Structure formats: structure tokens, C-alpha cells
Amino acid sequence: MILISELYFIILVLASSFLFKSLILVVFISSKSIDFNDLKSSTLFIIFIISVGFIFYKNSIKNLKIGNNKNSQEIVDYILNLSSYEAEVTVNITSNKNSNKYILKQKYQKDKEHIQEVIEPSNIAGVKIINDGKNLKIENSNLNLNEIIENYTNLENNNLDLSMFIDEYKNSNESNYEEKDDEIIMKVKNDKENIYVKEKILYINKKTYKPVKLEIKDNKQKERIYILYNEVEINV
């Protein structure tokens, strides 16, 4: 499929070529009467038209690449520099004793509070976990803090937060990404003492530039946390 900018450039080149050939033909036919300065001016004009067209073509391709067809590095940079996001996620957390499933609403704004609200399970629906970067508090809950931490392990943990992944990716010496099919796969290894959170893997859709899922694995490569992004809006 030929893009508009490419079509424009092709037409411009063909038109310029036609004009140049016509000019040469005129030279041969009217070689006795043609003025050399006129010929020089006409030639310079054609060269000018071609140059302007080429500049327009390059800028069009550049804007297309940045606007609608980002390469892998641009997609990674886009994620790493997000200023806010809102998402509905399904979270599966596996411990040594059991496995728990949650549906959460997440809202994040850079340098402001990060809020996670529980939608499911129904017995803790409405619980809001608010983290301002320094303090963590729980609101709208019929359960006390100790009961939540004891029975719903990792729900209050900011490992569920996309911004946490981004911070670790930026600051780690063991972060990288690869391109596979329609996804960009970003990986970061955690050098902290927590054996249950040793590697995080974020999958990004290459067409929408949005997160698809986040996997968190332990030191034995067992999946401990799986986050599926059902709905997500970046930089809202």
C-alpha cells in the first residue's frame, strides 16, 4: 500500500522529470534563440521543486513514524515516560498456601496518589488502597488493616502497580526488551532480597502501545503474580 506522502513524492519526481526532458527538447529545437540565463533559471527552479518535495517527503515519513508507527524503542520509551494511567485489571496471586484472584481498578498520576480499588471478590469490594509514595492507607473497608494484610497477601503490595515496574526498569542494570510477534516484551530482574519477586515481565501491544499483561516470577521462575489489563488508558 502506497502512503500519501510516498505518492506525492513519486508524482513530484515524475513531473519534474517531464519538465526537465521538455526543457532539454526545447533547447534542441530552439538552440539558436534560447537564452542561456533562462535555461539556467529554469533548471534551478526544477531542482528547487525537487528539493522541496524531498524535504516534505522526509518530514512526512518522520511524522508518520512518530505518530502512528512507532518502532520498538519508541514504544518502550512511551511506556517508561507515562505520566498517568487508569486500568481495570484481573490479578492472580499465588502463594505457597493458596491462590487468590482479584479484579481491581487502578489509577495513577505521577507525583500524586496511586489508588487501587477492589471490585471483586464481593466480600472486600469497595476497599481502596491508597499509596502516596510514603504512606499506605486503606479506606471504605469493613475489615481492619490486620485482617486484610493477613488474609489477602500482596493486595497492599505496590508490585501490582505499573509505575513500580517502570521505576525498577529504569534503575536496574538487568532490564531489557525484545520484540515478538505483535508484542514488545520488557523484562527486569529484581536484586532485592524478596525471593518471591525476582523477575517482572511486561507485555506491550505494538499496535495500541498499551500493556497487555504483567508477570512476576520468583527465584525458581514460578509465576507468583499475574496481572491482566482488561482495560487501560495511558496518559489520561
Side-chain angles (χ1 to χ4, degrees), residues 130-144:
I130 303 171
N131 190 334
D132 63 4
K134 296 180 180 179
N135 303 305
L136 183 144
K137 60 182 178 180
I138 296 177
E139 291 184 352
N140 300 332
S141 174
N142 294 322
L143 303 174
N144 62 51

Side-chain angles (χ1 to χ4, degrees), residues 127-210:
V127 169
K128 288 185 179 180
I129 301 168
I130 303 171
N131 190 334
D132 63 4
K134 296 180 180 179
N135 303 305
L136 183 144
K137 60 182 178 180
I138 296 177
E139 291 184 352
N140 300 332
S141 174
N142 294 322
L143 303 174
N144 62 51
L145 177 62
N146 291 331
E147 187 174 356
I148 288 179
I149 292 178
E150 180 180 353
N151 296 326
Y152 302 98
T153 306
N154 281 317
L155 185 59
E156 81 290 350
N157 196 310
N158 58 3
N159 281 312
L160 308 183
D161 187 353
L162 180 59
S163 64
M164 181 68 171
F165 172 89
I166 291 172
D167 288 342
E168 291 180 356
Y169 190 96
K170 286 180 176 180
N171 297 317
S172 174
N173 293 323
E174 295 187 80
S175 61
N176 60 81
Y177 72 87
E178 63 179 325
E179 188 173 348
K180 185 176 181 181
D181 299 327
D182 292 329
E183 293 180 323
I184 303 294
I185 304 172
M186 301 172 64
K187 299 179 180 180
V188 59
K189 292 186 177 180
N190 194 328
D191 57 1
K192 297 179 181 179
E193 295 181 357
N194 187 349
I195 63 172
Y196 300 108
V197 182
K198 280 299 179 182
E199 184 178 29
K200 296 183 179 182
I201 307 172
L202 180 66
Y203 296 79
I204 307 295
N205 186 301
K206 285 172 57 179
K207 295 181 179 179
T208 64
Y209 319 141
K210 294 180 179 180

Side-chain angles (χ1 to χ4, degrees), residues 17 49 65 114 150 191 197:
S17 176
I49 293 296
K65 180 180 179 182
H114 172 230
E150 180 180 353
D191 57 1
V197 182

Side-chain angles (χ1 to χ4, degrees), residues 21-202:
K21 289 178 180 178
S22 299
L23 181 62
I24 295 299
L25 181 62
V26 169
V27 171
F28 279 104
I29 294 175
S30 308
S31 58
K32 294 182 179 180
S33 58
I34 193 166
D35 185 87
F36 177 76
N37 290 328
D38 291 339
L39 175 61
K40 183 178 180 181
S41 298
S42 299
T43 304
L44 290 175
F45 177 73
I46 293 174
I47 293 173
F48 172 76
I49 293 296
I50 295 175
S51 301
V52 170
F54 183 71
I55 292 171
F56 174 81
Y57 171 74
K58 287 184 68 177
N59 288 337
S60 298
I61 293 299
K62 181 179 179 181
N63 291 334
L64 179 67
K65 180 180 179 182
I66 294 174
N68 300 313
N69 189 27
K70 297 179 187 292
N71 61 35
S72 299
Q73 183 61 59
E74 288 172 330
I75 295 174
V76 170
D77 291 341
Y78 175 73
I79 294 297
L80 295 179
N81 292 296
L82 70 82
S83 59
S84 64
Y85 78 90
E86 293 183 9
E88 180 182 294
V89 299
T90 299
V91 181
N92 288 285
I93 300 175
T94 303
S95 67
N96 292 332
K97 296 181 179 180
N98 55 28
S99 179
N100 292 306
K101 178 180 177 180
Y102 308 95
I103 296 180
L104 308 175
K105 278 186 178 180
Q106 297 180 330
K107 186 174 182 179
Y108 165 81
Q109 283 188 305
K110 190 175 181 179
D111 300 326
K112 293 185 178 180
E113 293 178 332
H114 172 230
I115 302 173
Q116 294 191 116
E117 180 178 354
V118 180
I119 300 175
E120 294 181 11
S122 59
N123 61 319
I124 57 170
V127 169
K128 288 185 179 180
I129 301 168
I130 303 171
N131 190 334
D132 63 4
K134 296 180 180 179
N135 303 305
L136 183 144
K137 60 182 178 180
I138 296 177
E139 291 184 352
N140 300 332
S141 174
N142 294 322
L143 303 174
N144 62 51
L145 177 62
N146 291 331
E147 187 174 356
I148 288 179
I149 292 178
E150 180 180 353
N151 296 326
Y152 302 98
T153 306
N154 281 317
L155 185 59
E156 81 290 350
N157 196 310
N158 58 3
N159 281 312
L160 308 183
D161 187 353
L162 180 59
S163 64
M164 181 68 171
F165 172 89
I166 291 172
D167 288 342
E168 291 180 356
Y169 190 96
K170 286 180 176 180
N171 297 317
S172 174
N173 293 323
E174 295 187 80
S175 61
N176 60 81
Y177 72 87
E178 63 179 325
E179 188 173 348
K180 185 176 181 181
D181 299 327
D182 292 329
E183 293 180 323
I184 303 294
I185 304 172
M186 301 172 64
K187 299 179 180 180
V188 59
K189 292 186 177 180
N190 194 328
D191 57 1
K192 297 179 181 179
E193 295 181 357
N194 187 349
I195 63 172
Y196 300 108
V197 182
K198 280 299 179 182
E199 184 178 29
K200 296 183 179 182
I201 307 172
L202 180 66

